[in-house]
Amino acid sequence: MLDRPNPAPEAPCLDPFVLAKALSGVHFIGGRFAPAKSGRNFAVVNPATGAEVAQAAEGDAADVEAAVADAAKAQKEWAKVPARKRGALVHKAAALIRDHVEELGRLIALETGKALRTESRVEANTVADVLEFFGGLGGELKGETVPFAPDVLSVTVREPLGVVGAIIPWNVPMLLMALKVAPALVAGNAVVVKSAEEAPLAVLRICELMNRVLPPGVFNMVSGFGPECGAPLVAHPLVRKVTFTGSVETGKIVYRTAAEKLIPVTLELGGKSPMIVFADCDFEKTLAGALTSMRFTRQGQSCTAASRIYVERPIFQKFVDAMAEKVDQMVMGDPLDEKTDIGTIISDGQFEKVKAFIEEGKATAGATGRACSAMPKDPALKKGLFIQPVIFTGLTRESRLVREEIFGPVTCIFPFDDPEAVLAEANDSEYGLAASLWTNNLKVGLNLAHKLEAGLVQINQNLVVQANLSYGGVKSSGLGKEASLEAMLEHFTHKKTIMVNMG
Ligand code: ADP
């Protein structure tokens, strides 16, 4: 298939530039690296410098066909492997990922611009956590006995769906892929992943590493653009389930295609997550929580970013000032530098989009946008896609900045006077992914937690998605859950009823 030996180094490679080159120009299909059938590649760019660091195989329907055909063949045998053995293999793959955490952290920092210390290394470790978690769940793929009639044995069994198509975005590509691939594989499915065009390398390396312990063909990966490579994957007749994380618009396209085939989908889409701060909160803890909640270390490129912050009026101004001061202390710079807290935006397109939101906010009458953190001074980074975090006050609920997902380091803070009013504001959104509440009055907190329209509500913390906790949105934020036992059972298997008449 490929006219050169396995291009990926066997041992961890700590030079991400070398590794990026080594992983150039290939998909991973049927247990091997394979170039695009068309021979075409596209550039992978380091957003901190604008320099090309690799070429990725530009997949199309022909590559998808090859990957799905291999997956379908491999899945038949994979489904016969006892569930706990499948889990044990995924667990073994976790150990390999653990050995490569540093390498994967550096590689993802290079291709996405996310800082190594605050984001990229953390993400690589979490991938191993997720594989370990799902690797231990093989024994949970069990059915029930149903009390139908005394002389009829009625049982349910969980069966895999077949080939799963997984489409992932660029913001946390390794983790979001692991959340799809691990439960799908443990449940006995084979998977074809379509990586995000902006970040195809670290996920390809993970695919190759996991294939060292998995049978060939059960985990395949193609890189390429959405309409040319993602769409044929969703439409392929042998793909019996699609799991997608990305924008609402693309999610709807995926859902329509899936509807034609009558296959199940899981959709993790956008968010406009509110953070509600009461005057009785632990101020310092909440302040630190606001920085984490807004995912400033990920340049705000997170579906769960606290992009709307509501602060009870008595502490509003103090909170705004203190938050801006804290963000000022965050270091923007080379994503590969250990000192860096905040890296870059992923791509020129996103950079322009975020800038346009900021300009619009600044031009809004009555609004103030406070830019925080100093831009990096290193001349090597002058073409880097750095954006200063901006904290807006004085915007109204009609503003696009308050209604739309910016996916950048931009948050809007508002004062509020009573819990019912802030609840109405928080729920006034097309999205419903996540929310956080900060108060020492648990009665108020729990009451609001029940009324907030969101898939995940946290009180006095705002963590990112965690293995073992169901994660997924309501309203335009998506369909279905990920990250949990429920996700594996409900979204990667179907329940068959078997009845035996013993009368
Ligand atoms: P973003 O704007 O954040 O990149 P998208 O929803 O466009 O979000 O992209 C998320 C993933 O969906 C990427 O892997 C992208 O290539 C893929 N994608 C984009 N368009 C389509 C499509 N029409 N069908 C299937 N996948 C698509």
Side-chain angles (χ1 to χ4, degrees):
M1 269 169 125
L2 198 64
D3 58 1
R4 56 186 164 129
N6 182 342
E10 184 70 23
C13 171
L14 296 185
D15 184 336
F17 293 90
V18 169
L19 186 56
K21 284 227 155 39
L23 292 167
S24 276
V26 277
H27 306 300
F28 201 95
I29 298 176
R32 308 175 60 176
F33 286 106
K37 290 194 181 296
S38 68
R40 283 200 305 271
N41 291 323
F42 61 94
V44 183
V45 172
N46 172 5
T49 61
E52 180 178 316
V53 292
Q55 291 270 313
E58 189 177 330
D60 60 22
D63 302 294
V64 168
E65 179 57 44
V68 174
D70 276 4
K73 208 160 113 223
Q75 193 269 330
K76 293 202 170 30
E77 294 308 310
W78 181 237
K80 292 181 201 157
V81 175
R84 282 181 58 200
K85 174 94 191 294
R86 291 195 301 258
L89 290 175
V90 169
H91 210 279
K92 206 167 162 194
L96 261 179
I97 302 298
R98 262 308 161 219
D99 291 343
H100 290 74
V101 158
E102 189 57 29
E103 157 195 296
L104 290 166
R106 291 180 184 202
L107 186 59
I108 200 80
L110 177 68
E111 63 181 332
T112 64
K114 291 193 301 180
L116 177 60
R117 177 178 50 82
T118 55
E119 283 290 332
S120 294
R121 195 181 283 128
V122 180
E123 185 187 352
N125 262 311
T126 314
V127 171
D129 290 346
V130 167
L131 297 186
E132 280 164 8
F133 170 71
F134 282 108
L137 292 186
E140 296 301 320
L141 288 151
K142 52 198 179 197
E144 300 139 341
T145 53
V146 183
F148 177 73
D151 54 358
V152 178
L153 175 68
S154 183
V155 297
T156 62
V157 291
R158 293 272 178 189
E159 292 189 345
L161 299 171
V163 178
V164 171
I167 297 181
I168 55 172
W170 47 260
N171 63 331
V172 214
M174 301 192 298
L175 172 60
L176 296 176
M177 176 177 80
L179 290 172
K180 297 176 188 316
V181 168
L185 288 177
V186 174
N189 304 282
V191 187
V192 178
V193 171
K194 205 292 278 174
S195 57
E197 45 272 51
E198 297 85 353
L201 301 175
V203 289
L204 180 65
R205 177 63 158 169
I206 291 177
C207 180
E208 183 256 325
L209 290 171
M210 289 183 67
N211 265 274
R212 292 185 192 177
V213 299
L214 295 168
V218 302
F219 179 13
N220 310 276
M221 179 169 298
V222 288
S223 49
F225 297 96
E228 294 76 17
C229 189
L233 179 61
V234 180
H236 196 291
L238 290 178
V239 169
R240 302 311 305 156
K241 152 93 197 187
V242 171
T243 168
F244 169 87
T245 301
S247 63
V248 176
E249 304 76 60
T250 309
K252 286 179 184 171
I253 296 172
V254 167
Y255 200 13
R256 276 187 214 112
T257 310
E260 282 301 318
K261 291 164 54 183
L262 284 175
I263 60 164
V265 290
T266 307
L267 301 173
E268 298 294 344
L269 309 176
K272 193 75 196 173
S273 304
M275 169 175 184
I276 302 175
V277 179
F278 287 90
D280 72 347
C281 70
D282 177 333
F283 191 81
E284 287 304 320
K285 183 178 168 190
T286 306
L287 204 55
L291 265 57
T292 328
S293 296
M294 191 34 224
R295 321 283 188 236
F296 279 123
T297 53
R298 205 185 292 161
Q299 298 73 253
Q301 299 170 134
S302 165
C303 315
T304 54
S307 49
R308 298 182 289 149
I309 304 182
Y310 300 93
V311 183
E312 206 170 3
R313 201 172 296 276
I315 61 163
F316 172 73
Q317 199 54 51
K318 181 178 162 201
F319 187 89
V320 173
D321 296 340
M323 185 171 169
E325 234 172 76
K326 280 260 186 221
V327 184
D328 268 339
Q329 289 160 19
M330 296 178 83
V331 177
M332 260 204 280
D334 181 353
L336 288 163
D337 187 333
E338 293 287 342
K339 288 194 288 298
T340 299
D341 296 310
I342 304 180
T344 71
I345 298 293
I346 184 80
S347 64
D348 290 328
Q350 283 296 122
F351 184 82
E352 294 308 327
K353 190 180 142 203
V354 175
K355 282 277 189 196
F357 272 112
I358 294 172
E359 289 315 313
E360 189 173 320
K362 285 189 170 159
T364 304
T368 309
R370 159 94 145 78
C372 309
S373 303
M375 290 288 276
K377 295 196 178 56
D378 183 349
L381 304 175
K382 68 177 188 302
K383 290 195 184 143
L385 302 175
F386 294 94
I387 292 188
Q388 284 182 281
V390 185
I391 296 174
F392 276 102
T393 51
L395 288 167
T396 64
R397 66 166 72 173
E398 286 73 36
S399 167
R400 235 165 44 89
L401 281 82
V402 182
R403 307 208 72 81
E404 295 181 19
E405 188 175 45
I406 300 173
F407 233 63
V410 182
T411 193
C412 315
I413 314 192
F414 307 88
F416 75 87
D417 294 302
D418 73 88
E420 283 309 313
V422 77
L423 177 70
E425 291 276 330
N427 282 342
D428 180 20
S429 170
E430 89 168 277
Y431 295 106
L433 188 57
S436 69
L437 293 155
W438 301 77
T439 176
N440 276 315
N441 185 336
L442 272 188
K443 193 172 163 198
V444 171
L446 269 177
N447 181 31
L448 286 191
H450 284 291
K451 293 177 179 167
L452 277 164
E453 294 165 1
L456 171 66
V457 181
Q458 300 180 60
I459 301 179
N460 295 332
Q461 65 169 28
N462 200 352
L463 307 176
V464 295
V465 52
Q466 303 286 319
N468 204 13
L469 296 174
S470 276
Y471 173 75
V474 296
K475 304 200 284 190
S476 290
S477 290
L479 290 174
K481 299 289 175 195
E482 290 196 312
S484 59
L485 173 63
E486 171 201 356
M488 179 177 81
L489 297 178
E490 297 304 319
H491 300 301
F492 292 109
T493 72
H494 77 95
K495 208 189 242 186
K496 177 186 275 179
T497 299
I498 299 177
M499 300 171 93
V500 186
N501 189 321
M502 301 177 297

